[in-house]
Every structure is written in C-alpha cells, then in structure tokens.
C-alpha cells in the first residue's frame, strides 16, 4: 500500500508501506534501522555505515555520504531511501528523489535524535521496537555525568583546527553533560579556529576526537605547547554518534568524565 508521510524538512513523501527495500545514506540511521530488526529490508548503505559490524556486510555499498553511485542505487530498486540533512548534500537528495522516495531526517540535538528513532520506527512499521529503544536511551541518559559548567572545546580537525559549534548533536550532548562550549558563539556549526582562539576561550578541557581526524597522544603534546595548563582528553568520536551508539555512551562518558570536578 502507498502511504504518505512528512519528513523532518516537512516534505511530503509517498512510499510503499511498509518498505521492503531500504537504502540508508547516514551511519546513525543505518545503525538505527538494524536495531529495529530491519536487516532483511536493508539493501544498501554507505561505506561509512559500519555498525552493526556483522550485519552491514550484507548490504551493498552505494558510495559515500556526499557522493553516491546512482547506477548501483537504481539496480537495488529501493522502496525508500533515508538521508540526513547534515550528512548528505541537497543536490544528492534532489537527484535521488526524481526516482525514489527519500525521507530526510535532521538531527542537531539529543531531542532530535529521539525524534529520528521514533519517526524511523513509524515509517518502517517498527514503532514498538523504536519506542523501546528510545525509552531505554532516555532512561540511561538520566545518569550522564555532570561537568558542572566546565568549559570544553570538542576538536574534530587539524590544519586547520575545527571545533564543534552551535546547532549540532555533539554540542547538545556536551550541554546535557553540563559542559559549556565557548565556540557556540562563533559562526557556523563547525567553525575553524586559531591557536589564539583556543587561548582566549578560557577552557578547562580540550576534547580531541578520534574522528573524522584521528587525534592521538602526539596531538595532546601539540596542544600542551600552546595550552600548557589545560588538560586534553582523547575521546571516542563514535560515542558522540546518535542512534544505538547512544546505548553505550552513558557508561563510556562516566568512565571518561566521571572524575571531572
């Protein structure tokens, strides 16, 4: 049966319900789809969709999050494609929707991550499982550690240095844990910053992410040169993904940030 729904950009989507052939263009959504027991329906995913490790191997790789192989997608004949506003480009969505229904999610906060889980469940006839996942994450997030207003920069890139800014899921998660991110005052969601910007930010901590740039111990030494009294912490960037990774996040954050005072 054909069903009409609205995606997160208020676009009307007509698609076959429930969809039997699904492609996901976003790692967090792919992970969510598998957690909703849709492994037999998922026919395609990007090369960056790595979780769950064993199951994603059964889905065809259709390219990356910014550039897809249109011929492969046409061969897979999807009933529904999931995209995400930040992860995928507008041009990609516009090309794909000429041929297939495309549901665009938008996740810029913890609450919007909950919405994504709920809506993906509703669209795929997995509402009950999605509600259980959402409620479990909500319950676990009640016990996130409290950084008590410590000022932290979350660094995602080097040369140039780039940090997480406003209107991002990562910043929303940091705020849930009581951190203050001074770079939300900068323009852009992932602003480029200088050494002087770091020095003037009155930071208590620098969080060096494992991805997309793979910060390592040698980079902690690099930051110590110009921020000698500010501890830098290597953090697993995947724990800052939305979707089922959120189930692991609370325990991880307690281990990493539990001693902050």
């Amino acid at each position: 049966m054909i069903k009409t729904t609205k995606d997160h950009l208020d676009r009307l989507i007509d698609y076959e319900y429930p969809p039997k052939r699904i492609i996901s263009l976003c790692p967090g959504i792919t992970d969510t789809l598998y957690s909703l027991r849709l492994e037999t329906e998922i026919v395609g995913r990007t090369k960056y969709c790595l979780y769950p490790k064993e199951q994603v191997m059964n889905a065809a790789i259709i390219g990356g999050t910014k550039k897809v192989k249109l011929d492969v997608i046409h061969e897979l004949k999807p009933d529904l494609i999931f995209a995400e506003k930040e992860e995928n480009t507008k041009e990609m969505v516009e090309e794909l929707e000429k041929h297939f229904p495309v549901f665009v999610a938008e996740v810029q906060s913890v609450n919007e991550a909950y919405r994504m889980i709920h809506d993906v469940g509703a669209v795929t006839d997995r509402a009950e499982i999605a509600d259980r996942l959402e409620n479990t994450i909500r319950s676990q997030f009640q016990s996130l550690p409290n950084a008590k207003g410590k000022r932290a920069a979350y660094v995602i890139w080097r040369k140039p240095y780039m940090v997480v800014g406003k209107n991002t899921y990562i910043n929303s998660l940091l705020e849930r844990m009581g951190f203050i991110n001074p770079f939300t005052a900068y323009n852009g969601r992932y602003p480029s910053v200088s050494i002087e910007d770091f020095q003037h930010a009155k930071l208590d901590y620098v969080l060096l992410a494992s991805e997309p740039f793979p910060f390592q111990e040698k980079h902690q030494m690099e930051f110590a040169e110009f921020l000698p009294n500010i501890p830098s912490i290597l953090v697993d960037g995947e724990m800052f993904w939305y979707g089922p990774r959120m189930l692991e996040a609370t325990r991880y954050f307690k281990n990493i940030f539990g001693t902050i005072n």
Side-chain angles (χ1 to χ4, degrees), residues 56-251:
V56 294
M57 303 303 293
N58 296 320
I61 296 176
I62 51 76
T65 54
K66 308 301 181 187
K67 186 176 181 180
V68 295
K69 300 174 181 177
L70 291 173
D71 57 334
V72 175
I73 292 178
H74 280 280
E75 288 174 6
L76 293 172
K77 298 181 173 65
D79 298 322
L80 184 62
I81 298 174
F82 283 100
E84 201 278 329
K85 184 180 177 183
E86 176 185 337
E87 291 281 350
N88 310 122
T89 68
K90 180 181 179 182
E91 293 75 19
M92 181 191 299
V93 171
E94 289 176 344
E95 177 61 32
L96 290 172
E97 68 182 357
K98 293 177 184 177
H99 311 281
F100 311 103
V102 183
F103 185 104
V104 181
E106 183 175 31
V107 182
Q108 297 183 2
S109 69
V110 172
N111 284 339
E112 288 181 350
Y114 295 146
R115 178 182 67 163
M116 181 276 291
I117 294 169
H118 176 275
D119 290 353
V120 167
V123 168
T124 58
D125 194 27
R126 293 293 193 275
E128 185 176 338
I129 303 173
D131 286 346
R132 287 201 297 269
L133 175 61
E134 178 189 347
N135 290 334
T136 301
I137 295 170
R138 284 182 181 273
S139 177
Q140 291 190 9
F141 268 34
Q142 293 298 314
S143 59
L144 285 171
N146 187 348
K148 301 176 182 177
K150 298 296 184 181
R151 296 168 66 84
Y154 187 103
V155 191
I156 62 169
W157 201 254
R158 180 176 178 268
K159 293 186 178 181
Y161 292 123
M162 295 177 67
V163 296
V164 163
K166 59 189 174 183
N167 299 328
T168 59
Y169 171 76
I170 294 174
N171 182 66
S172 176
L173 184 51
L174 291 171
E175 290 180 346
R176 284 285 178 114
M177 290 188 283
F179 285 105
I180 294 173
N181 176 5
F183 295 114
T184 56
Y186 284 50
N187 290 329
R189 300 175 66 224
Y190 300 99
S192 296
V193 295
S194 65
I195 288 175
E196 291 74 19
D197 289 325
F198 283 118
Q199 292 172 330
H200 295 154
K202 299 179 180 179
L203 294 168
D204 296 297
Y205 296 95
V206 175
L207 309 179
L208 302 179
S210 62
E211 53 91 36
F213 183 86
F215 283 103
Q216 302 170 23
E217 289 184 11
K218 62 183 179 182
H219 301 113
Q220 289 178 294
M221 298 174 63
E222 176 182 304
F223 273 80
E225 292 180 4
F226 60 86
L227 294 174
N229 300 315
I230 310 302
S232 61
I233 303 173
L234 296 174
V235 296
D236 183 350
E238 292 180 2
M239 292 297 98
F240 289 83
W241 289 10
Y242 50 81
R245 298 305 103 192
M246 298 167 79
L247 292 172
E248 304 173 42
T250 300
R251 180 181 300 176

Side-chain angles (χ1 to χ4, degrees), residues 22-34:
I22 298 171
I23 289 176
S24 173
L25 307 179
C26 170
I29 295 177
T30 302
D31 201 4
T32 301
L33 289 165
Y34 278 105

